Amino acid sequence: MKKFINKSAAALCCATAVLLTACTSTPTPSFDTNRPWHDISDSYERLTYEINIYNTEKGTIAEKRVKIATGEAVFTLEENVSTEDVARHTGLNMTWTVTYNDDADEKDRGLTDNIRSYVEWQTDSLVTAKVNKKVGLARREGEEKNNSYEINADYFAKKATRITFDKDGIEKQKTLSIPSGQYYDNEMMFYLARTSSISANTAYPFFMTNLFDCFETGKVNAYTMYVSTEADKITEHIGDWVKDFGIEKVTSDATGNEYYPVSCYDSSISINAERHGPPYRVSYSAVPFVSGEKEHKKIPVRISYDSYRSGIVAMRTEYVLTGCSFDKE
């Protein structure tokens, strides 16, 4: 991701941007023939997450880390939203909002940052058609640079535009030509990884384009990413609400308490070996979530990302699934 003056705001932005400066040969990704979000009809999926950002300078365990911000993220996917280029398109709308509390840095306290992103791709090929992303970062006291921006791109029209703002809020535009080709945009990252052939003890490459980075370098590149999955599955406990989606009940022999554990693939999404950086940790459900006749697979149940400073984990951002729906209201 690109560095911002404010480290807490940067933690939010890293949810949808990765620091990408190295490029390797184009990998051959292995994607599921049947997308894990596709059900019996044109699919709809809405995933809601609780966001928590922690100061982890004193340690990453629960007893030592300090919560400095809370918020919500919503990922809404809808298949066949348009057929502009004859091919069917799938749309993914994502929103993130976090507000900083009194344990955050003084300049952050009470402020709210938000990101809104929309990406559309060809349903069958996953090739990106268009992107719109708006990053709204609250101005901190004493901060001269305005770090908010907006990016619009039409990959088929071969053009992208970035809007930034000077310290007085005056808009500045920069355009970038996109060479002919097929691209997977960075805003699809969690879904590109999700539809990779994830299973225990696997590693699959995929590639994507980060337009923010492209504007910084002045050229468009595709970067190699890897989704790697540990041999052993893990269990996530995210609440009893999952029983409504077919997750089976378990009763503790010791206490008699009932709970609904979700078996998950312990996956990481990392940058190619030529450019090191902390990975995203994602727990993709190893069991399907079922609602009526609709079954969705490899739901991202938990997402986390660490930010480092001076060799230690200084901040951890976590997303925990709190609800989902497969029926459009």
Side-chain angles (χ1 to χ4, degrees):
M1 58 163 288
K2 289 300 163 188
K3 295 181 180 178
F4 293 92
I5 293 174
N6 176 261
K7 63 184 180 181
S8 298
L12 173 65
C13 292
C14 72
T16 52
V18 183
L19 179 58
L20 302 170
T21 56
C23 184
T24 62
S25 59
T26 301
T28 302
S30 178
F31 293 136
D32 296 332
T33 302
N34 297 316
R35 309 299 180 214
W37 51 80
H38 181 73
D39 51 47
I40 59 175
S41 61
D42 290 348
S43 300
Y44 173 90
E45 180 183 270
R46 178 183 173 92
L47 306 177
T48 303
Y49 296 88
E50 178 184 77
I51 302 175
N52 290 298
I53 301 178
Y54 300 92
N55 181 318
T56 54
E57 292 176 332
K58 295 182 179 179
T60 58
I61 62 175
E63 292 78 9
K64 293 187 176 182
R65 64 187 188 179
V66 178
K67 187 183 297 185
I68 61 173
T70 58
E72 182 181 75
V74 181
F75 301 169
T76 306
L77 179 146
E78 188 171 358
E79 286 186 331
N80 302 332
V81 292
S82 70
T83 53
E84 291 183 9
D85 55 356
V86 181
R88 299 173 300 161
H89 285 196
T90 293
L92 174 63
N93 186 71
M94 298 181 287
T95 63
W96 296 259
T97 301
V98 297
T99 300
Y100 303 92
N101 61 30
D102 290 342
D103 289 318
D105 289 346
E106 186 173 355
K107 63 179 179 296
D108 299 330
R109 295 172 186 172
L111 298 181
T112 297
D113 295 323
N114 63 79
I115 299 174
R116 298 183 182 277
S117 169
Y118 178 77
V119 58
E120 195 171 295
W121 64 81
Q122 290 182 331
T123 298
D124 294 332
S125 69
L126 295 173
V127 172
T128 307
K130 61 181 66 174
V131 175
N132 169 258
K133 181 175 182 179
K134 296 181 179 179
V135 175
L137 302 181
R139 296 290 292 272
R140 271 64 179 176
E141 184 176 353
E143 186 176 75
E144 292 187 5
K145 185 178 180 182
N146 187 332
N147 292 305
S148 299
Y149 66 90
E150 179 178 354
I151 289 178
N152 292 284
D154 187 326
Y155 281 93
F156 297 157
K158 304 177 184 178
K159 181 181 178 180
T161 302
R162 184 180 69 178
I163 300 172
T164 56
F165 307 89
D166 65 18
K167 63 180 181 179
D168 298 317
I170 304 300
E171 181 180 301
K172 297 187 294 183
Q173 286 196 17
K174 183 177 181 180
T175 60
L176 186 67
S177 295
I178 301 174
S180 297
Q182 295 183 333
Y183 298 90
Y184 303 105
D185 191 87
N186 181 72
E187 299 304 304
M188 300 170 59
M189 182 175 69
F190 295 128
Y191 288 77
L192 288 171
R194 180 180 173 187
T195 198
S196 297
S197 301
I198 294 174
S199 60
N201 199 28
T202 59
Y204 290 102
F206 61 94
F207 57 98
M208 65 186 191
T209 298
N210 183 322
L211 287 175
F212 187 99
D213 183 75
C214 293
F215 274 103
E216 293 297 294
T217 61
K219 59 182 180 180
V220 176
N221 284 320
Y223 301 90
T224 308
M225 304 291 291
Y226 285 90
V227 54
S228 304
T229 303
E230 300 293 336
D232 296 327
K233 297 175 185 176
I234 59 175
T235 299
E236 295 285 4
H237 299 273
I238 59 174
D240 292 351
W241 65 269
V242 297
K243 66 184 178 183
D244 296 330
F245 291 87
I247 303 302
E248 296 183 355
K249 177 177 65 177
V250 172
T251 302
S252 170
D253 292 334
T255 65
N257 293 334
E258 299 176 346
Y259 56 100
Y260 295 83
V262 182
S263 177
C264 293
Y265 296 116
D266 184 10
S267 301
S268 63
I269 305 173
S270 57
I271 305 169
N272 65 77
E274 293 185 20
R275 180 68 191 184
H276 297 287
Y280 291 85
R281 305 294 306 189
V282 186
S283 299
Y284 287 106
S285 64
V287 292
F289 277 48
V290 181
S291 178
E293 297 181 341
K294 298 180 178 181
E295 178 180 282
H296 289 213
K297 300 175 182 178
K298 293 187 285 187
I299 299 282
V301 170
R302 184 186 299 270
I303 302 169
S304 65
Y305 180 83
D306 290 337
S307 301
Y308 286 79
R309 185 171 61 250
S310 301
I312 66 169
V313 179
M315 191 175 300
R316 176 166 293 173
T317 302
E318 291 186 349
Y319 303 72
V320 178
L321 187 69
T322 58
C324 62
S325 174
F326 305 149
D327 297 299
K328 189 174 181 179
E329 296 179 358

